[in-house]
Amino acid sequence: MEWPIAEVARMSGVTARTLRHYDETGLLPPARIGANGRRYYEEGQLLRLQQILVLRALGVGLPEIGRILSEQVDEVDALRGHHRRLLAERDRLDALAGTVSRTIAEMEQSRKDGNLMTINRPENLFEGVTPSQYEENMREFPELAEAVGRRAAAMSQADADAAHRERTAQMIRLADLMAAGHPADSDPVQAEIDAQYRALSELRAVSAEDYRAIGRSVVVNETWRAAYEAIVPGLAAYQRDAIQAYATTRLN
């Protein structure tokens, strides 16, 4: 039995664009390509896609996934390895859930006291988050995701911690600007967005349309939105609007 690319995308939740990228990089070639150029997949490819998605969920970058799959011999042994990784991921998610729980408690207490929330150790917002997760959250942008994955794989723990702190500091600066009443297209906000865009551009060229899509993902992607909303409600939409304004005025 075989399935066309559109059906595989529907079943797996992976976009056809990402599946084509997996084919182009040799990670997941289809079983065959029809006369019309359409890709078709069989059970073997679906099993391989399952392994890819499990490893992606565990924060493994695409180059490393390719190496793991190329070295595999026995599928049962491979699944045992995935199972061990999943158990470790469960422990990491428990730590992340505790982080979010503490943030909720601090925000609720701040509201009861009538004060703005003060984050004494902003890096705690990202306890349990690994740099390679950003690659997974950018799965709609496979080329950029791969570049992010390579950067994450080269990071030491100290570098990763510093990156978390800087990312959190960026979000807090935006939250402060939002609280001060600055519109998303104001100069101070756009300066923050420009710094973020330049950091992305160091990894790979980002078009205006891709940057708009990234902005939309801040709201649509549950992980991203939760990180922003943990700082202050409404911050995800504020970031999205600021990116839209930046792409329109500076990238077109």
Side-chain angles (χ1 to χ4, degrees):
M1 188 173 179
E2 64 179 17
W3 297 266
I5 189 171
E7 181 65 13
V8 174
R10 184 195 65 79
M11 290 188 298
S12 66
V14 175
T15 65
R17 177 183 178 184
T18 298
L19 289 171
R20 288 192 292 270
H21 178 68
Y22 288 171
D23 178 18
E24 291 164 0
T25 58
L27 188 62
L28 181 65
R32 71 178 181 90
I33 298 179
N36 58 0
R38 182 176 298 176
R39 293 165 170 83
Y40 292 87
Y41 299 79
E42 297 178 354
E43 290 183 0
Q45 286 73 46
L46 295 188
L47 288 171
R48 186 176 177 91
L49 178 58
Q50 181 198 49
Q51 294 186 64
I52 292 170
L53 297 182
V54 168
L55 292 169
R56 291 295 301 275
L58 292 170
V60 182
L62 292 181
E64 179 67 7
I65 290 175
R67 186 190 65 77
I68 291 171
L69 294 181
S70 67
E71 292 178 357
Q72 271 180 201
V73 177
D74 185 85
E75 291 184 352
V76 173
D77 286 343
L79 287 172
R80 287 195 182 102
H82 298 337
H83 184 246
R84 288 192 295 271
R85 289 172 182 254
L86 287 168
L87 292 178
E89 177 70 356
R90 179 194 62 189
D91 294 340
R92 188 193 65 77
L93 287 174
D94 285 343
L96 183 57
T99 297
V100 174
S101 178
R102 288 194 300 273
T103 301
I104 291 170
E106 290 172 6
M107 292 181 71
E108 288 178 340
Q109 187 60 50
S110 296
R111 289 175 181 176
K112 287 179 183 178
D113 296 340
N115 300 321
L116 290 175
M117 179 179 173
T118 300
I119 302 174
N120 295 320
R121 294 186 63 198
E123 64 271 21
N124 286 348
L125 288 173
F126 288 97
E127 183 181 345
V129 179
T130 61
S132 53
Q133 282 183 278
Y134 296 122
E135 182 191 4
E136 171 61 20
N137 292 332
M138 299 183 78
R139 59 183 176 271
E140 298 302 320
F141 319 98
E143 295 88 354
L144 187 57
E146 188 170 354
V148 171
R150 287 195 298 269
R151 170 70 64 84
M155 279 185 172
S156 66
Q157 188 58 52
D159 290 338
D161 290 343
H164 288 328
R165 287 192 293 271
E166 174 54 27
R167 184 64 182 138
T168 309
Q170 289 176 350
M171 295 164 74
I172 292 172
R173 288 196 297 270
L174 273 183
D176 288 341
L177 291 168
M178 184 177 75
H182 290 279
D185 60 355
S186 65
D187 288 343
V189 176
Q190 291 298 293
E192 289 290 338
I193 300 303
D194 180 63
Q196 295 178 21
Y197 177 78
R198 291 178 183 277
L200 276 178
S201 298
E202 290 178 359
L203 297 174
R204 190 177 181 90
V206 180
S207 68
E209 186 51 41
D210 275 350
Y211 204 38
R212 288 191 185 95
I214 289 172
R216 291 191 294 270
S217 293
V218 170
V219 174
V220 174
N221 184 287
E222 292 182 4
T223 303
W224 279 3
R225 185 177 66 249
Y228 280 88
E229 299 300 294
I231 302 288
V232 64
L235 185 59
Y238 188 71
Q239 167 87 24
R240 176 202 59 199
D241 294 346
I243 288 178
Q244 301 300 317
Y246 182 90
T248 299
T249 59
R250 304 199 188 188
L251 300 182
N252 283 339

